[in-house]
Amino acid sequence: MGHEAMHQLPRGRVIGAGHYLPGDPVSNDALIRSKGVDSDDAWIQKRTGIACRHFAAAEETTVDLACHALQHALDSTATCDLADKAKPTSKAVTAADVDAIIVATTTPNNIFPSTASLLQHRIGARIGSMAFDVQAVCAGFVYALSIANNMIRLEQAKTVAVVGADTYSRILDWNDRSTCVLFGDGAGVLILQADNSGAGVRQTTLHNDGSLYHDLYVDGGVATESHGYVVMNGRSIFQHGVRRMAEAVSSVATAEGVGMADLDLVVPHQANQRIIDRIGVDLGLPPEKIISTVRQHANISAATIPVAISLERARFARGAQVALTALGGGLAWGGALLRW
């Protein structure tokens, strides 16, 4: 296919965003008291910027969180244009309109079938629509977004629900204060729809370095017949996270011919406020251009980027140049550039 033909293909434009954070916020002090964590609020906030997180109830699973977030995202398309809150949309997007559901998760309900399959049925999407999971840990949402956009570009789908959902409370070791204070549970969703105006996902870049596999992993699984918990080399993840996420933003911006100064917003994976701050510094961007919501919900792995967008949706103006970037276990990382 020639360059001109590719240019004319539709792109996935964000028309809805939703999120779900289960239960009441759990403050650092409440976490320390309830789990007996050897830490204190001042240390956690200074080192991570996290003030609270949300945990799923005992009866809640990843698909429950995803279903709430997806319904919120679908409802958002009915109430207003995401880029212009004063402009009503002409037609609400419903579950029946969704051609594909892609769920990025590290904590699926079952080994198989996919959590997306459960979500398809739960949300009432039509039988025969596509549904599958993506596993790239904290980078999973960027991977899923790229796949969704490619499906739209190839005209395999017109409307795709891109979901990030995780229940990390089920894989945390409460005796490991270096990890257990960092994570929470939740889900976020972006609804992409085919658009020929030039808006939408303009560039994506995806990468992995398996030599760093053991810098962030769960020490269990099917092969070991054990449940396992999150294990992390924090120093390495900090260094690689800052470097690789900044590189991904630069890569997609350069590919699109967009200068750093022309970026309106950057939405990094919400893992740690110090990482978020350093990415902004390395990119030469002022803090007001960097979306940060980690204080409210901690690290929700694949869910953090769509949750952050949903929480801060009023800041996303039509035509804005928006970069997304994430890094997670694998090590997997990637970025995307969207024209809102």
Side-chain angles (χ1 to χ4, degrees):
M1 184 176 292
H3 177 76
E4 185 61 30
M6 283 293 292
H7 182 73
Q8 294 173 356
L9 292 175
R11 298 177 184 274
R13 174 175 169 257
V14 178
I15 62 164
H19 70 279
Y20 178 72
L21 299 172
D24 296 324
V26 178
S27 69
N28 292 329
D29 285 334
L31 176 69
I32 290 164
R33 287 194 307 269
S34 65
K35 302 296 185 181
V37 180
D38 181 17
S39 189
D40 64 75
D41 173 68
W43 185 90
I44 295 171
Q45 294 214 42
K46 180 180 179 181
R47 301 288 294 181
T48 72
I50 295 167
C52 61
R53 72 285 293 146
H54 293 251
F55 293 140
E59 67 276 8
E60 284 185 304
T61 65
T62 297
V63 74
D64 296 317
L65 276 52
C67 192
H68 286 298
L70 177 49
Q71 191 58 61
H72 183 204
L74 291 170
D75 291 345
S76 77
T77 69
T79 56
C80 66
D81 187 310
L82 193 66
D84 183 357
K85 295 180 73 67
K87 180 184 176 183
T89 55
S90 57
K91 181 181 181 296
V93 173
T94 68
D97 299 315
V98 175
D99 301 309
I101 296 172
I102 307 174
V103 175
T105 186
T106 311
T107 53
N109 274 55
N110 302 92
I111 294 172
F112 74 85
S114 68
T115 299
S117 180
L118 294 172
L119 181 57
Q120 179 202 55
H121 173 67
R122 187 80 65 85
I123 201 70
R126 69 181 184 278
I127 295 173
S129 58
M130 291 174 279
F132 57 93
D133 290 354
V134 170
Q135 221 292 40
V137 201
C138 300
F141 188 82
V142 175
Y143 271 62
L145 185 78
S146 180
I147 293 167
N149 186 56
N150 288 339
M151 292 169 66
I152 289 171
R153 298 278 283 162
L154 293 174
E155 300 183 333
Q156 296 172 330
K158 291 184 178 180
T159 304
V160 183
V162 188
V163 183
D166 271 302
T167 47
Y168 259 56
S169 60
R170 310 286 158 79
I171 54 172
L172 295 177
D173 178 357
W174 302 110
N175 294 314
D176 180 5
R177 69 173 184 171
S178 69
T179 58
C180 71
V181 301
L182 300 177
F183 295 93
D185 301 337
V189 180
L190 296 185
I191 306 294
L192 296 189
Q193 194 165 72
D195 186 282
N196 290 99
S197 70
V201 180
R202 301 289 306 180
Q203 299 287 339
T204 61
T205 185
L206 305 174
H207 306 276
N208 193 82
D209 182 353
S211 72
L212 299 171
Y213 182 96
H214 285 99
D215 278 354
L216 179 55
Y217 68 106
V218 170
D219 60 352
V222 176
T224 60
E225 298 183 358
S226 64
H227 180 283
Y229 297 103
V230 174
V231 179
M232 181 175 70
N233 179 341
R235 184 182 297 274
S236 177
I237 293 300
F238 183 92
Q239 293 172 346
H240 288 289
V242 171
R243 175 187 169 194
R244 295 304 192 183
M245 283 195 273
E247 283 179 354
V249 172
S250 297
S251 176
V252 292
T254 299
E256 188 62 15
V258 173
M260 284 297 111
D262 297 319
L263 287 177
D264 296 293
L265 291 171
V266 175
V267 189
H269 168 49
Q270 306 289 303
N272 179 311
Q273 188 61 50
R274 291 194 303 152
I275 293 177
I276 294 168
D277 291 342
R278 274 286 304 276
I279 290 170
V281 170
D282 286 5
L283 292 174
L285 295 173
E288 58 267 24
K289 286 192 174 185
I290 311 295
I291 296 288
S292 175
T293 59
V294 67
R295 178 180 176 82
Q296 311 174 48
H297 53 68
N299 184 345
I300 326 171
S301 193
T304 69
I305 287 177
V307 167
I309 291 172
S310 181
L311 287 170
E312 298 290 325
R313 59 183 295 173
R315 297 176 61 182
F316 292 77
R318 181 178 295 281
Q321 300 278 9
V322 178
L324 316 180
T325 186
L327 174 138
L331 293 180
W333 72 93
L337 183 72
L338 293 76
R339 187 180 301 164
W340 220 258

